[in-house]
Amino acid sequence: MLDPARRADFEALDRADPLATKRDAFVISDDVIYLDGNSLGIPPRASLDSVRTAAENEWAGDLIGAWNTRDWIGLPGRLGDRVGRLIGAAAGQVLVCDSISVNLTKLLAAALQLRPGRSTVISPADNFPTDLYMAEGLSDLLGDDRCRLRTVPPEHLLTSVDDDTAVVMLTHVNFRTGAMFDLRSTTAAIQDRGALALWDLAHSAGAVPLSLDAANVDLAVGCGYKFLNGGPGAPAFLYVAERHLPQVSQPLTGWMGHARPFAFEPGYEPAEGIERFLSGTPSVLGCRALEGALDVFDGVTMADVRTKGTVLSQALISLVAESVPLAGLRLVSPADPARRGSQVSFAHPEAYALKEALIEAGVVGDFREPDLLRLGITPLYLRHVDIFDAVLRLEHTMTAEAYLDPRFRRRSKVT
Ligand SMILES: *Cc1c(COP(=O)(O)O)cnc(C)c1O
């Protein structure tokens, strides 16, 4: 068992933590240790204020006029540029809109269009399923000779890229293991073979430093509700490198992507810039929650977030490794922090029941099939002592065999 007196070391780390005050920006209870910010971030106070203002003052006050007076209509581009600053993208290349799934359809179609004569979409077989499903759907629609999904073992990803590969679609940080690709070298290797790189940044944006422009990324999508803390079902984002913009269009040609939506012309003409990747009306309340969440990142560097995230993750990994009662947990995340995003996953045959019992003990993580206990590390609101306390509670849950209670085996819809 870990010596509870060691908590003092973690308290000392908290006193020296330059990000410590950021915790006050969130609605967070000291009773819960939240290790699930990689699935749904905790609400930032500024998000709740922003939604309240948008509803009570703007919607209720200005009514439809707010589209102009509060520039609701400009939210996708304005927020896109703010997300751009967190992911190393210059202005005019990022939009906040729709879900990752919908945005993938737009970008996969755009990629196929940019590589006429090539029809294969390559993806690692362990990619997030929605990414694969959306490519399947596009393939069903366009036919195999125009769009064919080929899933490959991750270790054969680059050698699988051939003359027929239009685009390689891959997730930067694996949602199960937290394993992270090198953005720049992988992008370059894909492009060397004539294909485009389409990155899913769901577990990266707001968690690890990213330089999309510098890495010469072609296309990317990312999530608003995970490490960006934009709220349940927050709009996602998409990135299209400026060099591609003049040549690409996308198939979900709704009026908001038209050059002149309010001319109500019968024929479609895409907007000049990144706005051509819009489809329908922006979800204003969702955007406003995300806008407040982005305020929290003001004055924070992603390098500081990453540094703290690495310290927290390493502490978690080494405390679990030292703990005799936790010997049954097998680390499946890369041990090298440079190859890992901001989560730590352990395999255990009773991972689901453990995760449920842990929630009752005040530690919120999640479960991923078949046997993974997934613990997300969000440096903006987690303290070093939280990691220590979480491991103590995990030890207790394991030694008391609390997780063996049958009620912890009942599966909910969302795991
Ligand atoms: C969470 C997540 C998504 C979510 O997609 P939505 O369509 O926005 O629900 C997509 N890809 C990855 C890798 C994810 O982790």
Side-chain angles (χ1 to χ4, degrees), residues 42 51 179 329:
I42 284 184
V51 172
L329 290 175

Side-chain angles (χ1 to χ4, degrees), residues 38-39 98-102 104 127-128 130-131 171 173 175 200-203 221-223 225-226 234 236 374:
N38 52 331
S39 260
D98 303 311
S99 60
I100 287 188
S101 304
V102 170
L104 278 169
N127 201 351
F128 192 88
T130 204
D131 299 46
T171 296
V173 173
F175 77 105
D200 184 334
L201 306 174
H203 290 274
V221 293
C223 189
Y225 54 81
K226 290 171 179 157
R374 203 172 65 144

Side-chain angles (χ1 to χ4, degrees), residues 193-207:
R193 293 161 171 85
L196 296 164
L198 165 49
W199 290 95
D200 184 334
L201 306 174
H203 290 274
S204 316

Side-chain angles (χ1 to χ4, degrees), residues 99 106 183 203 276 320 397:
S99 60
K106 300 176 196 173
L183 190 74
H203 290 274
R276 62 178 53 185
V320 169
T397 302

